Amino acid sequence: DGGITQSPKYLFRKEGQNVTLSCEQNLNHDAMYWYRQDPGQGLRLIYYSQIVNDFQKGDIAEGYSVSREKKESFPLTVTSAQKNPTAFYLCASSIDSGISYNEQFFGPGTRLTVL
Amino acid sequence: AQSVTQLDSQVPVFEEAPVELRCNYSSSVSVYLFWYVQYPNQGLQLLLKYLSGSTLVKGINGFEAEFNKSQTSFHLRKPSVHISDTAEYFCAVILSGGSYIPTFGRGTSLIVHP
């Protein structure tokens, strides 16, 4: 079955540590995205990537980093510089970044808690 | 820049009652409109979308939405809800000819009571 997988589902981190969230898709989608979700705030875009080896900052990129070395993979690193990292993180992908009307497909999410 | 307003943060309703979740957007150009549903601790999944054509769009699980250009609205409706419809619902907008990145509303929590 095609889809998007995120791992781990739950992640606990101590303050000052970097952590990496995994996102893999086998849908052959060009574009991939990372969102942060906090209660009552909807989805906020962290980073997105249209093609391999290229990515752009979203609205709240500070304290985060990404890489896109393979089409199917878009890992997100939450660095110690992120002041309030506890949140639910969602990865998404879409078919073709050059066509504006394609819906996004979402992974199941990773819940990160900083202890 | 476009914005999306979901007027109700929470909508409680009894099972088998009708429901309407409201979504308004601000844009001076044509838009593409989407409704997504998120069940607890899961990702979002597409309910329905409006790209062009008929303003009444039917989606999965018995939901439908109507695009009203003059009122810049895209309200989601279901004539009879089930307990299993309890979830968070997000409206999203993409500008035609602009960035392909959607703008999401803040979400509406639908709570269906028995």
Side-chain angles (χ1 to χ4, degrees):
Chain A
D1 283 339
I4 302 178
T5 57
Q6 291 185 242
S7 61
K9 188 169 178 63
Y10 298 96
L11 185 58
F12 297 90
R13 187 194 96 174
K14 293 182 180 179
E15 281 193 34
Q17 287 181 336
N18 293 355
V19 288
T20 298
L21 283 57
S22 169
C23 177
E24 304 277 332
Q25 54 100 358
N26 61 4
L27 300 167
N28 200 32
H29 286 176
D30 296 301
M32 297 187 74
Y33 315 77
W34 273 105
Y35 292 93
R36 171 181 171 139
Q37 186 177 21
D38 297 281
Q41 295 198 42
L43 276 66
R44 293 185 289 170
L45 184 65
I46 305 173
Y47 270 97
Y48 63 100
S49 168
Q50 298 173 259
I51 56 173
V52 175
N53 292 323
D54 188 45
F55 46 83
Q56 287 77 42
K57 293 181 179 180
D59 301 319
I60 57 165
E62 185 175 350
Y64 300 97
S65 66
V66 292
S67 63
R68 187 87 186 275
E69 297 177 1
K70 298 185 295 183
K71 186 176 184 178
E72 58 271 23
S73 179
F74 192 41
L76 173 75
T77 297
V78 184
T79 75
S80 56
Q82 169 48 234
K83 297 189 188 321
N84 185 20
T86 294
F88 191 53
Y89 290 87
L90 287 163
C91 179
S93 68
S94 61
I95 290 175
D96 186 340
S97 59
I99 301 175
S100 62
Y101 54 81
N102 284 306
E103 69 267 27
Q104 294 182 326
F105 293 76
F106 286 82
T110 292
R111 188 166 296 282
L112 173 63
T113 302
V114 175
L115 303 173
Chain B
Q2 74 272 29
S3 66
V4 180
T5 302
Q6 292 185 242
L7 296 164
D8 305 297
S9 60
Q10 207 172 78
V11 173
V13 64
F14 287 107
E15 195 173 18
E16 296 184 7
V19 70
E20 179 180 83
L21 306 184
R22 297 180 290 171
C23 174
N24 286 85
Y25 66 91
S26 64
S27 174
S28 57
V29 300
S30 297
V31 294
Y32 303 114
L33 297 156
F34 306 81
W35 274 101
Y36 290 85
V37 61
Q38 183 182 33
Y39 299 104
N41 293 311
Q42 294 185 27
L44 280 67
Q45 56 181 283
L46 184 71
L47 268 180
L48 48 78
K49 60 185 176 184
Y50 170 79
L51 303 180
S52 65
S54 173
T55 57
L56 182 63
V57 180
K58 294 191 183 297
I60 62 171
N61 301 340
F63 283 93
E64 64 181 32
E66 186 156 20
F67 170 53
N68 187 319
K69 187 175 182 179
S70 62
Q71 296 186 8
T72 60
S73 67
F74 190 54
H75 300 333
L76 181 70
R77 302 187 185 102
K78 186 170 182 178
S80 175
V81 295
H82 302 290
I83 295 286
S84 59
D85 292 323
T86 295
E88 192 84 13
Y89 292 80
F90 292 93
C91 181
V93 170
I94 295 177
L95 288 183
S96 172
S99 165
Y100 58 90
I101 307 295
T103 298
F104 285 88
R106 293 195 169 201
T108 296
S109 178
L110 175 63
I111 303 168
V112 182
H113 297 286

